[in-house]
Amino acid sequence: MKKEKTEKYHGKKKIAVRCIKIAAIVLIVLVLFRIVLFPPHKKPVVTGSHNVAIKEFTWEDVSRVETFTDTGENRMLTVKFWYPEEEGSYPLVVFSHGAFGVIDSNFSTCMELASNGYVVASIAHPYHAMFVEDVNGKVTTVDMDFFRSVYEGSGTTDPEEEARNYLKYKEWMALRTADENFVLDTILSKAEKGEDGPFCLIDSEKIGLFGHSMGGASSVAIGRQRDDIDAVIDLEGTMLGEYVGFENGIELFNEDPYPVPILDVNSRAAHEAAEAQILEGYEYVNFYVGKNAVDYREVIFNDAGHLNFTDLPLQSPILAKMLGVGKVNARTCIENVNDMVLTWFDYYLKDKGELDLKAEY
């Protein structure tokens, strides 16, 4: 009996040791995977004199039911703030990431702005983001139907497919602008009450918006919807919110002049693709908006890819290469982007400096 118990004990011990070894191997693989996929990197230069504090909040929009689930829960938005530690009154800038982006897509841009005296809020759009982790640790990953819909029908010339795309774009913009409006209203309500954290530092009379890709498009849309926005930056986003109809196989554009200063940032490849579209007889919506805006500038980045307007090429060179980067030096590119963003908002939100932007980088 004693021998039998001893054998059982040793058997269990061997299993436990084997499990520990397997767990250790898995952990090592995960660590190596993390290092390879997201290697340590030198962060872009931050030029401001302010010490930067960072804080996150998760807010419930009780006016909206989450449409990506069938649980009946309300939509939850996680927002990350970068802001000066020093007391003062600072302009508010709100960022929106692109499709499959994350809350830290433009971490360095947010740091650069905050170090130069801005309160910056980045919105994580659940189910449009690759992942969102709320303040309680709950992780929400991208909705696969949305993931597929971004690629379905792209580049099509079929009128029926184009009509479906138009409806798809309107749906995306409705969700994104509702998110941004809710976040803006929540922030401004807290600022009016003088709540602690970043809110008591906000100058509600000075508000800027910027976004990448789909986030740029929704930021442009918000700039038209609200009368408290002072400047907008679109980092290579087709201005889908400017579509107001669809007839005879093409989108109809909003003919009212765009009401606030808008900076349209594009790679050379995207700019040339838009010009080719015009040569084929189709107006490009961004250029149409530019011709009818109170103040429109386009800045072109040579040798850049779509993701060079984010931090991803530094955070994960492998992923970024898979998803689309150019030959440009990634660090130099994002530092130039950050400098340009700061110059634009300094001029329009602080009445500071000259609007001396290069036409090309």
Side-chain angles (χ1 to χ4, degrees):
M1 180 68 71
K2 187 175 180 180
K3 182 179 179 182
E4 185 178 331
K5 286 182 179 180
T6 302
E7 289 176 350
K8 285 183 179 179
Y9 168 76
H10 286 299
K12 288 179 180 179
K13 188 176 180 181
K14 287 180 181 178
I15 292 172
V17 170
R18 191 180 300 119
C19 289
I20 291 170
K21 287 182 178 178
I22 292 171
I25 292 169
V26 170
L27 180 61
I28 291 169
V29 169
L30 288 174
V31 169
L32 290 173
F33 180 76
R34 169 68 176 80
I35 292 172
V36 171
L37 204 56
F38 295 94
H41 66 279
K42 180 183 175 184
K43 290 181 171 56
V45 172
V46 172
T47 65
S49 60
H50 290 281
N51 295 317
V52 177
I54 301 175
K55 196 167 186 178
E56 288 191 40
F57 300 85
T58 298
W59 296 324
E60 179 182 7
D61 185 351
V62 296
S63 69
R64 290 189 294 160
V65 173
E66 181 57 74
T67 57
F68 285 95
T69 66
D70 57 5
T71 61
E73 62 186 332
N74 290 325
R75 187 156 172 83
M76 307 292 291
L77 277 301
T78 296
V79 185
K80 189 168 189 173
F81 286 85
W82 293 255
Y83 57 97
E85 291 184 347
E86 297 79 9
E87 291 185 4
S89 180
Y90 307 105
L92 171 66
V93 175
V94 177
F95 173 76
S96 175
H97 62 72
F100 325 136
V102 294
I103 203 167
D104 284 336
S105 283
N106 282 65
F107 185 97
S108 70
T109 320
C110 298
M111 280 290 295
E112 172 69 352
L113 287 170
S115 76
N116 281 278
Y118 290 86
V119 175
V120 187
S122 176
I123 306 168
H125 300 276
Y127 302 101
H128 275 201
M130 187 59 73
F131 67 89
V132 179
E133 183 176 359
D134 70 15
V135 295
N136 297 314
K138 177 185 175 183
V139 176
T140 302
T141 55
V142 66
D143 179 77
M144 292 312 297
D145 286 337
F146 169 72
F147 188 95
R148 285 187 290 269
S149 72
V150 171
Y151 293 104
E152 287 173 353
S154 60
T156 183
T157 57
D158 177 67
E160 290 186 4
E161 190 66 40
E162 286 281 13
R164 286 192 290 272
N165 282 343
Y166 168 75
L167 296 176
K168 183 168 63 176
Y169 301 153
K170 300 301 285 186
E171 181 182 328
W172 294 344
M173 287 298 98
L175 178 76
R176 288 299 194 99
T177 55
D179 284 353
E180 288 196 49
N181 276 315
F182 167 72
V183 168
L184 274 163
D185 291 342
T186 302
I187 292 172
L188 294 177
S189 174
K190 291 178 178 293
E192 186 178 1
K193 296 172 185 173
E195 292 189 15
D196 290 338
F199 310 108
C200 62
L201 303 175
I202 292 171
D203 178 356
S204 300
E205 298 300 314
K206 299 292 183 180
I207 303 175
L209 306 175
F210 77 115
H212 174 247
S213 195
M214 193 179 294
S218 59
S219 296
V220 171
I222 293 291
R224 186 182 284 283
Q225 290 177 5
R226 301 176 67 107
D227 60 6
D228 56 358
I229 307 303
D230 299 292
V232 175
I233 299 175
D234 178 9
L235 300 176
E236 198 159 273
T238 299
M239 300 176 188
L240 304 177
E242 291 295 300
Y243 295 161
V244 296
F246 189 85
E247 291 182 4
N248 301 319
I250 58 172
E251 296 89 358
L252 304 179
F253 305 154
N254 193 328
E255 296 180 355
D256 294 334
Y258 193 78
V260 298
I262 183 170
L263 178 61
D264 186 15
V265 183
N266 295 301
S267 63
R268 169 62 64 185
H271 178 87
E272 290 180 351
E275 287 186 327
Q277 177 179 316
I278 292 170
L279 289 175
E280 292 175 1
Y282 299 97
E283 187 123 35
Y284 181 53
V285 61
N286 291 34
F287 295 167
Y288 182 88
V289 171
K291 289 188 295 186
N292 295 282
V294 295
D295 187 351
Y296 169 89
R297 308 285 180 95
E298 184 191 19
V299 173
I300 298 171
F301 278 73
N302 293 301
D303 295 324
H306 190 57
L307 288 171
N308 284 117
F309 301 110
T310 74
D311 285 0
L312 188 63
L314 299 181
Q315 296 167 344
S316 180
I318 293 175
L319 270 180
K321 188 173 182 180
M322 290 168 57
L323 296 171
V325 292
K327 296 182 293 183
V328 68
N329 180 280
R331 177 167 287 100
T332 300
C333 185
I334 194 63
E335 287 179 351
N336 284 333
V337 168
N338 295 348
D339 178 68
M340 174 192 62
V341 168
L342 178 63
T343 298
W344 185 262
F345 285 137
D346 271 355
Y347 186 81
Y348 283 108
L349 303 185
K350 293 187 174 182
D351 300 318
K352 176 183 174 182
E354 299 293 330
L355 197 59
D356 186 21
L357 296 177
K358 294 181 183 180
E360 296 185 23
Y361 283 88

